[in-house]
């Protein structure tokens, strides 16, 4: 999108079904297809009469899929608002086919406790913000069907109900079923039922400053006659009415923050290696992964925060996730790592990757590092689940160092540089403990360092439980001794080099590369930091400072950076 279009704020419009998608898409102009890093395809364009860019997605059914697509779309487009638009089943007798129900509340009706005394509801409830509440009430009073075409007008005109919606993963098509009785017993003010609004509400809750609504056209009465209503075209009519009222709300919705320059496209998630065997499931195709009795909702992320790779006959998977069911604390964040042997080895070798993951789990119980949430495994598969710090202010997993580092060849700001240097000093303290045990991380990169509160942490111990080998840790943070092999095996000096490479990225906006001039420092950077980076990046591992020496230099540099006055504007 060119020209002034870039300066318009973006609203993400989510639909679950193709009929809903088409009801919104027919209002769009100048649309182009955009692919998100995990592969979701959206149409992005404009709507006449609206001062918004619209990013339209089809999530597919269920709350889990809706949550994943919503979160990814909001973050990718830095959206100000999200509307979930589509069809639902009516639960109240005064709600007619073709009417629109806007969610005044969204109940996640599956929440509860089953005991000998029966089912006790523990609902998860989401409500729109007060300004959105008032916007809906105003829109339904003042020309609510301004965006219905002449051919779409019906007699009588549809009504707009601002009432609660019940949302779960069951397609309700029988009055008197256990699910129907549960909803009517515990959520008897709900006017409609669907399968996606709760997932969208969860994703919105995790995003910053995003206003949202669920707008549902009534296509059936959630009973055994649903199929006949659908065959008569009720879904098309209901979807058109929901889309028209969504546009009416958007007409009056005003941005709350100034437009920001469009972000560069987020890096794609790379699933490396040859094609997998037919029995090997790709985490990227499954939004929820089950490990014994626990279910985890996977997050997309930059770099290797959602990745699957193959090394010979071994698959390695990893992802940031949120606990959504099981005996663990719900809404806790975790780091999942899994090793799967696709076929048995021809002959036993000296190194077993599954045993290495188990040995790594044992290290976390003796050394300071992330807590082990789960460690499971069998003959051909092992899964390690580690705690990941959460950001309570934003309601999401804590960011990694990747979010603080500059994206181009420009140095980071003084305030961020202080955060980075202080955080890497804490990381160096953890690396000292590893070194004291004769171990080394050897896989430090921006996404391996979690900028949690109150302390920076390692997401895991990297390659500490794996014997060093030539060519390990591919990528821009690979140390010379890892790349080509040397008389000195990768070890603690490798960690020092990688810390230096991260600092070089923070100071210059680029990673160190052969042939490029070394970093010479600047007036705003303490000399102690300049010297520390130069020493850490020496090609000869024996010429680099020790981990402790580097840590003390970083602590000193952080103190100097903290005393620098902020820039004057």
């Amino acid at each position: 999108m060119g020209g002034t279009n870039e300066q318009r704020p973006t609203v993400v419009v989510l639909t679950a079904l193709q009929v809903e998608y088409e009801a919104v898409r027919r209002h769009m102009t100048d649309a182009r297809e955009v692919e998100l890093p995990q592969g979701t395809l959206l149409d992005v364009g404009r709507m006449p009469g609206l001062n918004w860019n619209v990013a339209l997605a089809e999530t597919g059914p269920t709350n889990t899929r809706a949550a994943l697509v919503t979160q990814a779309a909001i973050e990718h487009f830095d959206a100000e608002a999200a509307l979930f638009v589509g069809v639902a089943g009516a639960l109240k007798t005064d709600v007619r086919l073709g009417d629109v129900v806007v969610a005044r509340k969204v109940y996640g009706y599956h929440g509860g406790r089953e005991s000998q005394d029966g089912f006790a509801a523990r609902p998860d409830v989401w409500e729109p913000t007060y300004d959105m509440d008032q916007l809906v009430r105003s829109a339904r009073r003042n020309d609510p069907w301004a965006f219905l075409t002449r051919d779409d007008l019906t007699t009588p005109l549809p009504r707009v109900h601002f009432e609660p919606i019940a949302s779960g993963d069951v397609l309700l098509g029988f009055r008197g079923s256990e699910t129907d009785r549960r909803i009517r017993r515990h959520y008897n003010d709900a006017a409609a039922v669907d399968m996606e609004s709760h997932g969208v509400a969860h994703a919105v809750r995790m995003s910053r400053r995003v206003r949202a609504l669920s707008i549902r056209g009534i296509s059936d009465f959630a009973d055994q006659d649903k199929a006949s209503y659908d065959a008569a075209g009720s879904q098309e009519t209901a979807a058109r009415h929901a889309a028209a009222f969504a546009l009416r709300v958007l007409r009056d919705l005003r941005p709350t923050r100034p437009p920001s320059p469009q972000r560069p496209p987020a890096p794609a998630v790379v699933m490396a290696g040859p094609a997998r065997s037919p029995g090997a499931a790709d985490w990227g195709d499954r939004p929820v992964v089950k490990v014994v009795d626990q279910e985890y909702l996977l997050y997309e992320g930059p770099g290797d925060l959602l990745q699957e790779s193959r090394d010979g006959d071994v698959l390695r998977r990893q992802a940031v996730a949120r606990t959504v069911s099981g005996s663990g604390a719900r809404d806790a964040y975790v780091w999942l790592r899994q090793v799967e042997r696709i076929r048995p080895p021809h002959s036993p070798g000296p190194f077993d990757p599954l045993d290495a993951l188990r040995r790594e789990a044992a290290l976390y119980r003796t050394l300071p590092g992330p807590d082990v949430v789960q460690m499971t495994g069998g003959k051909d598969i092992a899964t390690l689940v580690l705690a990941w710090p959460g950001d309570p202010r934003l309601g999401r997993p804590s960011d990694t160092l990747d979010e603080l580092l500059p994206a181009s060849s420009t140095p980071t700001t003084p305030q961020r540089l202080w955060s980075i240097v202080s955080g890497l000093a804490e990381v160096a303290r953890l690396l000292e403990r590893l070194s004291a045990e004769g171990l080394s991380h050897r896989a430090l990169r921006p996404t391996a360092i979690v900028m949690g509160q109150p302390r920076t942490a390692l997401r895991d111990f990297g390659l500490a439980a794996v014997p060093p080998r030539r060519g390990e840790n591919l990528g821009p943070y690979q140390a010379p001794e890892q790349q080509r092999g040397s008389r000195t095996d990768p070890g603690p000096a490798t960690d020092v080099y990688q810390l230096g490479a991260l600092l070089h990225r923070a100071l210059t906006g680029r990673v160190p590369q052969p042939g490029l001039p070394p970093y010479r420092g600047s007036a705003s950077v303490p000399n102690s930091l300049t010297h520390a980076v130069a020493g850490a990046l020496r090609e000869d591992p024996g010429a680099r400072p020790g981990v402790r020496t580097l840590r003390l230099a970083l602590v000193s540099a952080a103190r100097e950076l903290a005393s620098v006055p902020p820039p004057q504007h």
Side-chain angles (χ1 to χ4, degrees), residues 437 536 567:
E437 300 295 325

Side-chain angles (χ1 to χ4, degrees), residues 402-466:
D402 187 75
E403 280 76 22
L404 281 182
L405 292 172
S408 58
S409 297
T410 56
T412 191
T413 63
Q415 291 80 7
R416 285 195 172 190
L417 183 59
W418 174 84
S419 297
I420 292 169
V421 172
S422 301
L424 291 183
E426 293 179 13
V427 169
R429 185 183 298 276
L430 299 175
L431 297 175
E432 276 190 78
R433 293 293 300 271
L434 277 179
S435 179
E437 300 295 325
L439 303 169
S440 53
H441 190 286
R442 310 196 316 277
L444 295 171
R445 59 191 63 190
T447 53
I449 297 168
V450 186
M451 306 301 287
Q453 295 296 331
R455 305 189 70 84
T456 301
L458 290 168
R459 72 183 187 191
D460 55 39
F461 283 166
L463 301 175
V466 177

Side-chain angles (χ1 to χ4, degrees), residues 384-413:
L384 174 61
V385 185
L386 302 173
W388 184 288
D391 188 328
R393 182 172 55 88
L394 299 179
R396 67 182 190 186
S398 291
D399 287 338
T400 66
L401 179 61
D402 187 75
E403 280 76 22
L404 281 182
L405 292 172
S408 58
S409 297
T410 56
T412 191
T413 63

Side-chain angles (χ1 to χ4, degrees), residues 173-422:
F174 175 61
R175 289 290 175 94
S177 68
E178 179 55 35
T179 300
D180 179 68
R181 289 195 297 270
R182 177 180 298 176
I183 293 173
R184 295 179 188 279
R185 183 184 311 123
H186 299 290
Y187 313 103
N188 54 36
D189 60 342
V193 60
D194 73 10
M195 298 174 62
E196 298 86 16
S197 289
H198 186 229
V200 173
H202 254 307
V204 168
R205 188 180 287 153
M206 294 169 60
S207 303
R208 295 172 289 181
R209 302 177 296 169
V210 175
R211 296 167 291 170
L213 287 174
S214 182
I215 301 172
R216 320 301 289 163
I218 298 302
S219 61
D220 59 77
F221 295 100
D223 60 13
Q224 53 269 29
D225 294 326
K226 173 178 168 53
S228 60
Y229 289 126
D230 291 351
S234 64
Q235 285 193 335
E236 288 81 358
T237 300
R240 287 198 300 268
H241 292 174
F245 189 73
L247 268 62
R248 173 62 185 83
V249 170
L250 279 177
R251 189 184 75 180
D252 289 349
L253 184 62
R254 297 290 179 263
T256 59
R257 44 192 161 105
S260 56
Q262 188 170 1
R263 295 177 176 180
V269 175
V270 177
M271 300 298 180
R276 60 187 58 83
S277 67
D282 176 3
W283 278 9
D285 293 336
R286 292 185 290 161
V288 174
V289 167
K290 189 167 186 178
V291 181
V292 190
D293 63 334
Q294 298 279 3
E295 286 188 338
Y296 300 101
L297 175 67
L298 302 188
Y299 284 76
E300 68 161 340
D304 61 348
L305 293 183
L306 174 59
Q307 187 182 63
E308 177 173 309
S309 61
R310 181 169 172 174
D311 182 6
D313 291 335
V314 174
L315 276 175
R316 302 178 190 274
R317 306 182 181 98
Q318 57 190 33
V320 179
R322 176 167 59 88
T323 305
V324 293
S325 72
S327 58
R330 288 191 58 164
D331 295 336
Y333 304 109
V334 296
W335 175 236
L336 294 172
R337 293 175 61 197
Q338 188 176 82
V339 176
E340 181 179 0
R341 188 182 288 113
I342 299 173
R343 58 178 65 89
H346 297 296
S347 59
F351 171 68
D352 185 336
L354 276 71
D355 284 343
L357 197 64
R358 299 184 186 102
R359 287 197 302 271
E360 184 179 340
L363 288 177
Y364 296 118
R365 298 186 173 98
T366 59
L367 294 172
D371 294 331
V372 176
V373 177
Q374 266 186 296
M375 179 66 219
T376 66
K379 179 181 177 182
D380 294 317
I381 191 168
T383 306
L384 174 61
V385 185
L386 302 173
W388 184 288
D391 188 328
R393 182 172 55 88
L394 299 179
R396 67 182 190 186
S398 291
D399 287 338
T400 66
L401 179 61
D402 187 75
E403 280 76 22
L404 281 182
L405 292 172
S408 58
S409 297
T410 56
T412 191
T413 63
Q415 291 80 7
R416 285 195 172 190
L417 183 59
W418 174 84
S419 297
I420 292 169
V421 172
S422 301

